[in-house]
């Protein structure tokens, strides 16, 4: 590629196609590090060949000429090509334009995001830009994933006599793609041996057929590969390095709602053309299609639209109508339980959701994209109707039976198309089986009441069912003082849920009382339309870089909303700044009913009057915020039409009920059973739960035999320590924990000290006997915490193998704890360090490392030993997945760590 070609490619890649965006000779000279005279010569030559045009004087500006401007035809069929995926389209164009025959490209993205469509569009673009006839050959790697020999013959062909049965020479797909593009779909299905077969083709540009030893065949082809899997775990590193261009396509939920509506209209127009009939679409149908969670992305949206059209076509056939009408009765029931509430500010979109639209068959020739089904859905419906009529069935029965056939057919299709839609609900928060039970109840209710229920109600019902089950298991009875009123006022809802009592009892494995049925009936009273009202604003405020944001994000994800707002309070920020920022946010999120502020600690707890005075908006504050508390607040406010005072009252009551239920759980009651012992007592207070306490007990028993004769009581940080002390004040001889409860006279030892010889020596002096020198690591002490962090690591390091990142984080945190904290490290510091490291590794791998700050070198000079230590251990334990660690990242990490004593 000569210099002129590189300059022309630069103009294409950067879209320099108008005089306003034009480039001067001096800028091109600086960009390519060449003399101004050389740049002028190259630009003038490109202008003579009509590749470029120029305008103006002093400076003269060069830009792509009209004859060399790109046609939009190749990518015009991709919605978002000038919007959310413009960068991806530009990268695809650059890959095609790179001489002599493009750059090998890897297209990544979840199932159904449009990888094949992009590959096909790139082939069309190549035909516009490359000379001659450009073949485009598609090869599915999945068909040959388990047979490298068969893969070799299909890719490269074989010669006569290469194996038994090879009676003549056979060409492979590489031959057929000569001079064009070979599209390797599902490249992740190739085993390592299969990937290695492509190395010589990519590196040397030639290949041999099976059976050949000397002959070489030149291959002038461009490879486009596609995968829906994580390339770091499914593709060899040596293979990835050979693919210079990687294009990542977003999921449908990551794209603007305007583009999603365009997709909906596109698919509806396809069906209108196919049937040559106009289609009237109710506003609510468009809204649901625009807002529900498509687990399988565009592919799922397309198939759900087809199902709706098929149902409407059935009705039109039965009543001899010349127009299809799509209403909410045509929507698959599961859509209602996967609708995510979104705040829409575009009046045009709101009007569309209200008024609906008529889709008429497009006047221009619009290609009808293959649905992927082996049959024509509408002919299928016609044949079904004819067959049932031959059996002399009634029209009503035919209509019902054909609808059932369609539902069954599509349920089979969707199982193969989409992933498990419960994946985004962590099992640690809502049990998967309970989630499925709640989903089934809402789907049945939607059909029974002809209502729609959104994701907020689904999460709320699932959360309630889980709390109900835990309450029953803890031995606490359910009382509903409003039962009779519910049975009278909501007869239909109570009757419906009563008919499901056996189903609920079987699924939850607990007995469901009449009182509980009264509570459950209330979940089915309101549908989506009745709940779309002005509600109380919700704001989470907490100290730390992302504490509040994480709480809000988790709750928004679970509830399928964006109504939980957050404000992260920097630790060093003054109170006046915090108040000003909060006032601004409160004014912004007030919908006329006040704002609920959920805070962690500090002066904010007493700021209700101040915030009201500054904003004129009623504010209520609830302290000690947790994930469960935010979830309860969202549940109460977003699913009920209540006042701010009522909301606070209900939230406190429900949250207290939740805590009391957990305390009465059988595993929790063990505390009180242990407290009746007459032996000497060691009280262990753990923020991380009972598992850590058991580990501590094992350490004590192993190192201090006398501790076997003592009673060890395990208590959580939220337990009533005073109650335990009142019962055991004459027996407690030692408290071990992460926080000191300040029990009179009784000595306290921090958990961290148990992992040092001096700490065990302290314990030995208190409960008498032998010297102990055994230590243990943070990985043992915080085993449960590390397991939780491992399960969430993919959210922070998306571009790297999860296990490698987790192993490195744990080891590096261990080393930092020894060097900087002398083993005295708190749990929250471990979490902060772990997540900082994971995000840092991800940034480095994505070439988005933090730049060196102005104060970096000064910090390095003052803490040279600490800097060298961090650089050494991070490089050592990440060498298997990162090539180097930029100094900027080390500066920022070091700045968060204490000065070594």
């Amino acid at each position: 590629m000569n210099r002129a070609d590189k300059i022309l490619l630069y103009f294409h890649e950067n879209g320099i196609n108008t005089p306003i965006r034009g480039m001067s000779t001096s800028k091109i000279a600086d960009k390519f590090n060449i003399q101004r005279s050389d740049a002028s010569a190259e630009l003038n030559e490109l202008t003579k060949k009509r590749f470029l045009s120029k305008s103006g004087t002093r400076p003269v500006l060069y830009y792509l000429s009209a004859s060399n401007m790109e046609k939009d035809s190749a990518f015009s069929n991709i919605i978002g090509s000038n919007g959310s995926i413009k960068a991806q389209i530009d990268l695809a164009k650059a890959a095609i334009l790179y001489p002599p025959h493009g750059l090998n490209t890897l297209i990544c993205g979840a199932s159904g995001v449009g990888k094949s469509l992009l590959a096909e569009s790139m082939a069309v673009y190549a035909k516009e830009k490359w000379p001659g006839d450009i073949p485009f050959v598609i090869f599915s790697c999945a068909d040959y994933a388990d047979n490298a020999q068969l893969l070799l013959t299909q890719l490269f062909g074989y010669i006569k006599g290469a194996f038994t049965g090879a009676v003549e020479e056979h060409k492979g797909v590489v031959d057929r793609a000569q001079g064009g593009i070979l599209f390797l779909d599902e490249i992740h299905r190739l085993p390592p041996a299969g990937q290695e077969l492509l190395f010589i083709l990519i590196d040397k540009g030639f290949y041999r057929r099976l059976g050949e030893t000397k002959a070489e065949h030149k291959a002038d082809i461009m490879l486009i590969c596609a995968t829906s899997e994580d390339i770091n775990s499914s593709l060899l590193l040596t293979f990835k390095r050979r693919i210079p261009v990687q294009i990542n396509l977003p999921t449908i939920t990551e794209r603007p709602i305007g583009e999603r509506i365009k997709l909906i209209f596109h698919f509806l127009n396809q069906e209108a053309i196919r049937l040559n009939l106009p289609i009237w679409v109710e506003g609510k149908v468009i809204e649901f299609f625009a807002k529900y969670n498509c687990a399988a992305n565009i592919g799922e949206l397309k198939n759900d639209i087809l199902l709706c059209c098929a149902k409407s076509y059935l009705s039109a056939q039965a009543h001899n109508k010349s127009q299809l009408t799509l209403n909410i009765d045509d929507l698959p029931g599961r859509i209602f339980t996967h609708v995510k509430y979104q705040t829409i500010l575009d009046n045009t979109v709101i009007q569309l959701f209200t008024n609906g639209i008529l889709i008429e068959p497009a006047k221009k020739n619009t290609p009808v994209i293959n649905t992927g089904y082996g049959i024509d859905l509408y002919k299928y419906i016609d044949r079904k109707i004819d067959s049932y009529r031959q059996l002399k069935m009634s029209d009503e029965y035919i209509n019902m039976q054909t609808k059932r056939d369609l539902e069954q057919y599509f349920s089979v299709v969707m199982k193969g198309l989409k992933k498990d839609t419960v994946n985004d609900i962590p099992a640690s928060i809502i049990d998967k089986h309970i989630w499925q039970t709640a989903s089934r109840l809402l789907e049945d209710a939607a059909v029974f009441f002809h209502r729609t229920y959104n994701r907020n109600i689904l999460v709320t019902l699932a959360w309630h069912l889980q709390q109900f089950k835990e309450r029953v298991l803890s031995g606490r009875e359910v009382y509903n003082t409003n039962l009779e009123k519910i049975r009278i006022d909501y007869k239909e809802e109570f009757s419906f849920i009563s008919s499901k009592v056996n189903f609920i009892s079987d699924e939850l494995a607990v007995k469901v009382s009449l009182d509980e049925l009264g509570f459950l009936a209330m979940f089915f009273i309101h549908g989506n339309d009745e709940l779309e009202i002005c509600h109380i604003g919700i704001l989470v405020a907490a100290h730390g870089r992302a504490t509040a944001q994480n709480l809000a994000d988790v709750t928004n994800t679970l509830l399928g909303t964006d109504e939980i707002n957050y404000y992260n309070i920097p630790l060093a920020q003054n109170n006046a700044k915090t108040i000003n920022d909060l006032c601004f946010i409160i004014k912004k999120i007030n919908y006329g009913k006040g704002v609920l502020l959920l805070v962690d600690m500090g002066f904010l707890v007493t700021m209700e009057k101040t915030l009201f005075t500054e904003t004129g908006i009623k504010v209520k504050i609830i302290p000690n915020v947790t994930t469960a508390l935010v979830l309860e607040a969202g549940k109460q406010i977003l699913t009920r039409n209540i006042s701010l005072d009522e909301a606070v009252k209900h939230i406190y009551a429900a949250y207290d009920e939740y805590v009391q239920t957990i305390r009465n759980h059988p595993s929790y009651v063990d505390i009180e059973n242990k407290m009746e012992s007459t032996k000497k007592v060691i009280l262990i207070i753990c923020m991380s739960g009972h598992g850590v306490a058991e580990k501590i007990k094992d350490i004590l028993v192993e190192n201090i035999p006398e501790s076997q004769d003592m009673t060890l009581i395990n208590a959580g940080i939220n337990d009533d320590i005073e109650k335990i002390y009142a019962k055991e004040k004459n027996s407690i001889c030692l408290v071990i924990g992460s926080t000191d409860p300040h029990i009179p006279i009784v000595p306290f030892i921090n958990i961290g000290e148990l992992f040092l010889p001096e700490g065990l020596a302290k314990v030995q002096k208190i409960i008498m006997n032998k010297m102990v020198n055994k230590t243990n690591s943070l990985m043992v002490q915080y085993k449960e915490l590390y397991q939780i962090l491992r399960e969430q690591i993919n959210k922070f390091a998306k571009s790297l193998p999860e296990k490698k990142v987790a192993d490195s984080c744990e080891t590096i945190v261990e080393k930092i704890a020894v060097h900087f904290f002398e083993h005295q490290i708190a749990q929250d510091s471990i979490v902060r360090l772990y997540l900082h490291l994971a995000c840092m590794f991800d940034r480095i791998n994505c070439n988005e490392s933090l730049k060196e700050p102005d104060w970096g070198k000064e910090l390095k000079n003052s803490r040279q030993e600490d800097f060298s230590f961090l650089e050494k251990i991070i490089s050592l334990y990440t060498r298997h997945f990162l090539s180097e660690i930029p100094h900027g990242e080390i500066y920022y990490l070091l700045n968060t760590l204490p000065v070594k004593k």
Side-chain angles (χ1 to χ4, degrees):
M1 187 177 191
N2 60 34
R3 190 163 61 196
D5 289 334
K6 291 179 181 179
I7 292 173
L8 183 60
L9 179 60
Y10 176 78
F11 275 79
H12 278 289
E13 287 179 339
N14 293 276
I16 305 170
N17 50 22
T18 63
I20 295 176
R21 303 190 67 182
M23 295 285 288
S24 65
T25 303
S26 58
K27 286 185 178 179
I28 291 296
D30 292 341
K31 181 67 182 178
F32 290 90
N33 196 24
I34 58 178
Q35 295 294 323
R36 191 180 185 283
S37 58
D38 292 335
S40 178
E42 298 288 10
L43 290 169
N44 285 323
E45 184 65 25
L46 289 170
T47 303
K48 286 180 182 178
K49 293 179 179 179
R50 297 187 179 179
F51 288 119
L52 298 180
S53 295
K54 59 183 178 179
S55 68
T57 56
R58 295 185 181 181
V60 174
L61 297 178
Y62 295 85
Y63 57 95
L64 290 169
S65 65
S67 61
N68 195 47
M69 291 284 283
E70 301 181 65
K71 298 178 182 178
D72 293 331
S73 57
F75 296 98
S76 60
N77 62 331
I78 299 181
I79 292 171
S81 58
N82 289 315
S84 66
I85 58 171
K86 185 180 186 304
Q88 288 88 334
I89 297 298
D90 290 343
L91 191 56
K93 291 177 180 178
I96 293 294
L97 290 173
Y98 198 89
H101 45 254
L103 292 173
N104 296 327
T105 301
L106 176 62
I107 305 174
C108 308
S111 297
V113 296
K115 298 184 293 295
S116 296
L117 178 60
L118 178 59
E120 291 166 4
S121 298
M122 290 175 70
V124 173
Y125 188 65
K127 290 179 180 180
E128 293 176 0
K129 297 298 178 183
W130 295 357
D133 185 27
I134 309 299
F136 177 62
V137 180
I138 301 174
F139 182 77
S140 176
C141 301
D143 298 337
Y144 310 98
D146 300 321
N147 192 325
Q149 197 75 354
L150 183 59
L151 172 68
L152 180 63
T153 62
Q154 293 298 317
L155 281 174
F156 306 119
Y158 54 83
I159 62 173
K160 181 179 178 180
F163 53 85
T164 304
V167 295
E168 61 182 13
E169 185 175 284
H170 174 77
K171 292 184 178 181
V173 293
V174 172
D175 287 286
R176 301 206 305 272
Q178 192 66 240
I181 296 173
L182 175 58
F183 177 40
L184 299 176
D185 198 10
E186 297 189 82
I187 189 71
H188 60 272
R189 296 293 299 275
L190 286 187
Q195 295 174 39
E196 290 170 350
L197 288 175
L198 298 169
F199 285 1
I200 295 179
L201 177 68
I202 296 172
D203 293 342
K204 305 295 184 182
F206 68 82
Y207 64 96
R208 294 190 181 96
R209 296 194 177 102
L210 183 65
E212 290 180 333
T213 55
K214 295 183 179 179
E216 295 178 353
H217 303 272
K218 184 171 176 58
D220 291 324
I221 64 171
M222 173 184 176
L223 291 181
I224 299 179
C225 309
T227 178
S228 58
E229 299 296 321
D230 176 14
I231 61 174
N232 294 303
S233 58
S234 60
L235 298 180
L236 294 172
L237 179 61
T238 47
F239 180 80
K240 287 186 294 178
R241 286 175 177 169
R242 287 173 164 85
I243 308 293
V245 179
Q246 292 185 10
I247 301 175
N248 293 292
L249 292 177
T251 62
I252 193 170
T253 56
E254 294 170 331
R255 297 178 67 168
I257 194 167
E259 290 183 3
R260 184 155 172 171
I261 291 173
K262 287 181 181 178
L263 286 167
I264 294 168
F265 287 173
H266 173 70
F267 295 137
L268 286 169
N269 187 53
Q270 284 186 344
E271 299 312 308
I273 294 169
R274 188 197 307 276
L275 297 170
N276 196 27
L277 290 173
I279 303 175
W280 170 255
V281 192
E282 288 185 356
K284 275 296 177 185
V285 172
I286 302 173
E287 182 175 5
F288 278 121
F289 276 135
K291 292 182 177 180
Y292 86 108
N293 179 31
C294 297
N297 294 291
I298 299 172
E300 180 177 345
L301 175 66
K302 176 181 176 181
N303 288 316
D304 282 335
I305 289 174
L306 178 58
L307 173 58
C308 283
C309 291
K311 286 183 176 181
S312 180
Y313 179 76
L314 170 64
S315 177
Q317 287 292 92
H319 299 91
N320 295 318
K321 294 181 179 178
S322 59
Q323 174 181 296
L324 267 60
T325 300
L326 302 188
N327 54 48
I328 58 173
D329 292 334
D330 296 317
L331 293 171
R334 59 184 168 74
I335 284 182
F336 301 130
T337 57
H338 296 296
V339 173
K340 180 176 180 179
Y341 179 78
Q342 292 173 276
T343 301
I344 306 298
L345 301 178
D346 190 323
N347 289 330
T348 304
V349 174
I350 295 172
Q351 188 175 9
L352 181 64
F353 289 168
T354 304
N355 299 334
I357 193 170
L358 178 66
I359 304 290
E360 297 192 66
K363 300 296 186 290
K364 62 181 181 180
N365 293 324
T366 303
V368 179
I369 297 175
N370 190 346
T371 61
Y373 302 120
I375 61 174
D376 185 317
L377 248 297
Y378 304 108
K379 288 182 180 179
Y380 169 80
I381 294 170
D382 291 337
R383 288 199 301 270
K384 280 287 183 182
I385 291 174
D386 289 341
S387 65
Y388 288 136
R389 280 177 177 164
Q390 289 175 10
L391 296 173
K392 308 218 181 274
M393 296 177 176
S394 67
D395 289 345
E396 183 180 354
Y397 180 84
I398 290 173
N399 193 40
M400 178 187 69
Q401 188 60 40
T402 308
K403 276 188 178 181
R404 188 177 301 164
D405 292 338
L406 278 171
E407 291 281 5
Q408 290 176 348
Y409 179 78
F410 269 84
S411 67
V412 173
V413 172
M414 292 310 298
K415 283 179 182 177
L417 175 67
K418 64 186 283 189
K419 296 182 179 179
D420 189 357
T421 55
V422 79
N423 282 349
D424 60 340
I425 300 296
S428 59
I429 297 177
I430 298 178
D431 179 80
K432 180 178 179 179
H433 187 71
I434 291 177
W435 175 265
Q436 292 171 338
T437 303
S439 183
R440 170 77 180 276
L441 285 173
L442 275 187
E443 288 175 8
D444 291 349
V447 175
F448 186 86
F449 294 114
H450 299 288
R451 293 176 185 152
T452 58
Y453 298 96
N454 64 19
R455 185 183 172 88
N456 290 352
I457 300 175
L458 172 59
V459 174
T460 304
L461 176 59
W463 178 252
H464 174 85
L465 288 174
Q466 181 157 293
Q467 289 180 310
F468 162 67
K469 181 176 181 178
E470 290 173 350
R471 181 185 178 99
V472 173
L473 292 177
S474 69
R476 304 179 70 209
E477 294 187 25
V478 176
Y479 294 106
N480 190 339
T481 57
N482 208 29
L483 177 62
E484 290 307 315
K485 181 173 174 54
I486 292 172
R487 296 178 71 171
I488 295 170
D489 293 348
Y490 306 107
K491 289 181 181 179
E492 289 188 358
E493 289 79 8
F494 191 83
S495 175
F496 166 77
I497 199 63
S498 296
S499 69
K500 300 292 182 180
V501 66
N502 291 334
F503 167 73
I504 300 170
S505 296
D506 292 342
E507 295 300 315
L508 301 187
V510 294
K511 184 178 179 181
V512 182
S513 64
L514 277 175
D515 294 83
E516 175 58 25
L517 289 178
F519 288 123
L520 290 173
M522 301 300 290
F523 285 94
F524 305 98
I525 293 170
H526 301 293
N528 289 347
D529 295 340
E530 300 159 273
L531 287 173
E532 290 185 2
I533 51 179
C534 290
H535 57 74
I536 300 160
I538 307 173
L539 175 61
V540 180
H543 294 80
R545 290 185 179 179
T547 307
Q549 181 179 356
N550 291 337
L551 289 169
D553 285 349
V554 168
T555 309
N556 278 328
T557 299
L558 291 173
L559 292 177
T561 183
D562 57 2
E563 293 298 314
I564 313 296
N565 302 278
Y566 65 86
Y567 175 56
N568 297 313
I569 308 172
L571 294 175
Q573 182 169 281
N574 63 63
N575 294 347
K577 168 67 172 167
T578 301
I579 292 295
N580 286 336
D581 289 350
L582 286 174
C583 289
F584 175 79
I585 298 172
I586 288 169
K587 290 176 182 177
K588 185 178 178 181
I589 66 172
N590 176 46
Y591 304 109
K593 299 186 70 173
V595 173
L596 177 65
L597 182 57
L598 305 168
V599 304
D600 55 350
M601 60 182 182
F603 79 103
L604 289 176
V605 177
T606 62
M607 286 292 106
E608 280 185 4
K609 289 184 178 179
T610 302
L611 292 171
F612 174 73
T613 302
E614 294 292 328
T615 63
I617 297 169
K618 186 173 183 178
V619 177
K620 285 290 183 180
I621 296 176
I622 297 180
N624 301 322
V625 62
T626 63
T627 303
L629 184 61
V630 181
L631 186 59
E632 188 61 49
K635 165 185 164 184
Q636 294 290 339
I637 290 172
L638 299 179
T639 60
R640 304 175 69 177
N641 184 12
I642 55 178
S643 69
L644 181 55
D645 289 330
E646 288 176 315
V648 172
K649 179 181 177 183
H650 288 308
I651 292 166
Y652 270 125
Y655 188 66
D656 289 345
E657 174 79 10
Y658 166 71
V659 173
Q660 190 61 40
T661 298
I662 296 300
R663 286 187 174 184
N664 283 323
H665 195 276
S667 63
Y668 197 97
V669 174
D670 289 345
I671 295 175
E672 299 204 4
N673 294 336
K674 290 180 181 179
M675 289 197 301
E676 297 177 1
S677 170
T678 56
K679 299 178 182 179
K680 288 291 183 183
V681 171
I682 297 178
L683 177 60
I684 303 172
I685 304 174
C686 297
M687 296 180 68
S688 301
H690 300 281
V692 175
E694 291 300 319
K695 295 293 183 185
I696 294 172
K697 179 180 178 181
D698 292 342
I699 294 170
L700 294 176
V701 170
E702 184 175 354
N703 293 283
I704 308 174
E706 288 74 12
S707 64
Q708 298 182 56
D709 298 324
M710 308 184 77
T711 298
L712 277 75
I713 295 179
N714 170 24
I717 193 66
N718 292 321
D719 287 331
D720 192 340
I721 305 299
E722 292 184 2
K723 180 180 177 182
I724 298 174
Y725 173 66
K727 287 190 175 184
E728 299 291 346
K729 60 184 177 182
N730 296 323
S731 302
I732 297 177
C733 66
L734 176 64
V735 176
I736 299 174
S738 52
T739 58
D740 188 353
H742 300 291
I743 296 177
I745 305 175
V746 180
F748 169 79
I749 291 181
N750 190 284
I751 288 176
E753 294 185 54
L754 294 183
F755 305 107
L756 294 171
E758 307 89 76
L760 288 171
K762 289 182 183 179
V763 176
Q764 178 262 336
K765 289 178 182 178
I766 295 171
I767 62 176
M768 305 159 21
N769 250 314
K770 303 178 182 179
M771 185 69 182
V772 180
N773 60 10
K774 185 174 178 67
T775 64
N776 222 323
S777 70
L778 290 175
M779 293 181 191
V780 175
Q781 179 187 358
Y782 291 110
K783 181 179 179 181
E784 292 182 356
L785 174 62
Y786 279 136
Q787 184 58 40
I788 293 171
L789 290 170
R790 275 179 177 266
E791 292 171 359
Q792 302 296 322
I793 195 71
N794 63 325
K795 296 179 181 178
F796 301 94
K798 298 179 180 179
S799 67
L800 289 166
E802 296 174 18
K803 185 179 185 304
K804 289 183 178 180
V805 173
D807 289 344
S808 297
C809 286
E810 290 174 17
T811 304
I812 294 171
V813 168
E814 183 96 4
K815 301 296 182 184
I816 289 175
V818 175
H819 183 86
F820 291 94
F821 295 88
E822 298 179 350
H823 294 282
Q824 305 295 313
I825 184 170
Q827 178 175 290
D828 61 338
S829 296
I830 292 175
V831 174
R832 176 176 57 79
L833 275 171
Y834 190 105
L835 298 183
H836 182 113
L837 290 167
C839 294
M840 180 177 81
F841 300 158
D842 190 62
R843 287 195 299 269
I844 295 171
N845 190 58
C846 296
N847 295 320
E848 298 174 356
S849 304
L850 298 175
K851 304 298 182 184
E852 292 190 17
D854 296 337
W855 43 263
K857 291 184 178 178
E858 181 181 348
L859 178 69
K860 179 181 178 181
N861 293 334
S862 63
R863 301 181 64 179
Q864 182 63 56
E865 181 185 349
D866 292 341
F867 180 89
S868 299
F869 171 79
L870 284 179
E871 185 177 36
K872 179 181 178 181
I873 63 166
I874 295 174
S875 298
L876 177 64
Y877 294 109
T878 60
R879 66 185 186 279
H880 50 301
F881 60 87
L882 293 177
S883 57
E884 62 176 334
I885 309 298
H887 281 188
E889 290 286 358
I890 300 178
Y891 290 146
Y892 280 100
L893 176 59
L894 179 58
N895 195 46
T896 67
L897 298 172
V899 178
K900 187 179 177 185
K901 297 178 182 179

